[in-house]
Amino acid sequence: LMQHGALDQANQGMIDGLKAGGYEEGKNLEINQQNAQGDQSNLQSIAQQFLSDEVDMILSIATPSTQVMAAATEDIPIVGTAITSFEQAGLVNSDEEPGTNVTGTHDMTPVAEQIDLLLQVVPDAKTIGTIYTSSEKNSQIQVGILKEVCAEKGLTVEERTITSVNDIQQAAQSLVGEVDAIWLPTDNNVASAMPQVVGVTDEAGLVTLGGEESQVTAGATLTYGINFYQIGYDAGLMAAKILDGDAEPATMPIQGPSDLKLVINTEAVEIIGVDIPDELMEQAELVTTTAN
């Protein structure tokens, strides 16, 4: 779909998973790798190119790209990753038995656990802010879960929707003074523009919980989230089994994340001046912000 830390990790994971499954580029595999640069019309063109080339399989990263590929063909096997809910995105009949030409690995974030973590760091929080892309089904699903979790805990959610990365800075600024902390979904536009978000939240002293690790290395305060390389790797292994003829997407269950971890950005913690409980610091993988 586009380049940002999480999707790049998923991409590398897929290639490495294929290799571990016996398929290596330059030996017995040819990969035509395309990046839509966040543009829906580019996705349509890529899909048509793949059909014209009569590819044996399509590997797709992120919900929008997988939806376009699935709409383009019911015959070519599609293995997707970085998709929040295959079922709610209309890609499969069920996670247990897809029943279509699509399978893969999902990236559903542990929202309830993330809010519990956020409350350990900001125990007096009453209002949680969030920013997400209104057209991204994956983000809509996550924010829906966020609202349910927060309602159960007596928390208020202030949401800001965006249509592109150009809206992010204004959305973040509009939350300052309105919220006690910010929770971010694994939203592709948000992930690709984390410096803009962090520029606002750092200045405001707001704790920001990212949906996954690469958002933390981009400047968010912390996460308890999935490893995008791992879900990509697992999808690559699934793709290898299909290429072997040992499985087919219709009967290959969707797999969930196999690796969740606590990650804290020590640089962000210092900038916003928040005290992190010692037990969390001891459990966490500690990182600093990586320049884009």
Side-chain angles (χ1 to χ4, degrees):
L1 177 66
M2 62 175 65
Q3 283 192 288
H4 62 70
L7 300 192
D8 292 348
Q9 290 171 18
N11 179 66
Q12 187 60 52
M14 274 184 148
I15 293 170
D16 291 349
L18 279 164
K19 184 177 179 180
Y23 292 89
E24 185 174 358
E25 190 171 17
K27 291 186 177 179
N28 59 351
L29 181 70
E30 180 182 344
I31 300 178
N32 176 0
Q33 191 158 162
Q34 298 292 326
N35 173 9
Q37 300 175 328
D39 189 298
Q40 192 79 3
S41 61
N42 286 346
L43 284 174
Q44 301 285 353
S45 299
I46 292 166
Q48 291 309 309
Q49 179 192 332
F50 287 169
L51 265 62
S52 297
D53 291 346
E54 298 182 346
V55 299
D56 298 304
M57 174 177 289
I58 296 173
L59 304 180
S60 57
I61 303 174
T63 304
S65 53
T66 308
Q67 288 175 315
V68 170
M69 298 303 135
T73 177
E74 295 180 355
D75 301 316
I76 299 172
I78 299 171
V79 179
T81 192
I83 297 157
T84 299
S85 172
F86 282 73
E87 192 172 341
Q88 292 190 50
L91 297 167
V92 300
N93 297 331
S94 72
D95 284 357
E96 294 74 23
E97 191 160 345
T100 66
N101 62 320
V102 181
T103 189
T105 54
H106 73 72
D107 66 356
M108 178 64 78
T109 54
V111 180
E113 291 88 343
Q114 289 178 344
I115 296 302
D116 286 340
L117 173 63
L118 196 54
L119 291 174
Q120 288 184 66
V121 178
V122 192
D124 296 329
K126 296 291 185 288
T127 304
I128 307 298
T130 189
I131 303 168
Y132 67 100
T133 306
S134 56
S135 61
E136 280 199 25
K137 182 67 175 178
N138 51 302
S139 300
Q140 296 169 16
I141 294 166
Q142 292 173 75
V143 173
I145 296 170
L146 173 71
K147 291 177 181 178
E148 292 176 5
V149 169
C150 287
E152 290 172 1
K153 297 180 182 296
L155 301 170
T156 300
V157 175
E158 277 288 332
E159 58 185 294
R160 298 291 185 271
T161 58
I162 59 172
T163 57
S164 73
V165 294
N166 298 326
D167 305 329
I168 285 178
Q169 187 166 7
Q170 182 179 351
Q173 287 173 336
S174 73
L175 290 172
V176 175
E178 301 292 324
V179 302
D180 302 307
I182 290 180
W183 173 92
L184 299 174
T186 55
D187 181 287
N188 292 295
N189 282 321
V190 172
S192 67
M194 280 300 295
Q196 288 95 307
V197 176
V198 173
V200 173
T201 57
D202 279 355
E203 186 176 344
L206 283 170
V207 170
T208 302
L209 190 144
E212 45 78 29
E213 183 177 351
S214 71
Q215 290 183 3
V216 179
T217 56
T221 317
L222 75 170
T223 192
Y224 177 67
I226 69 174
N227 183 305
F228 270 78
Y229 174 85
Q230 188 63 51
I231 61 169
Y233 185 89
D234 293 343
L237 290 176
M238 295 172 73
K241 289 180 181 178
I242 294 169
L243 290 172
D244 283 341
D246 294 337
E248 56 182 33
T251 55
M252 199 174 202
I254 305 301
Q255 293 185 24
S258 58
D259 184 21
L260 295 170
K261 62 180 174 179
L262 172 63
V263 184
I264 296 174
N265 186 323
T266 55
E267 188 177 333
V269 167
E270 185 175 349
I271 289 171
I272 64 179
V274 64
D275 290 324
I276 305 288
D278 290 342
E279 59 268 27
L280 292 181
M281 294 296 287
E282 291 167 4
Q283 296 169 22
E285 176 180 327
L286 305 179
V287 302
T288 56
T289 304
T290 304
N292 288 339

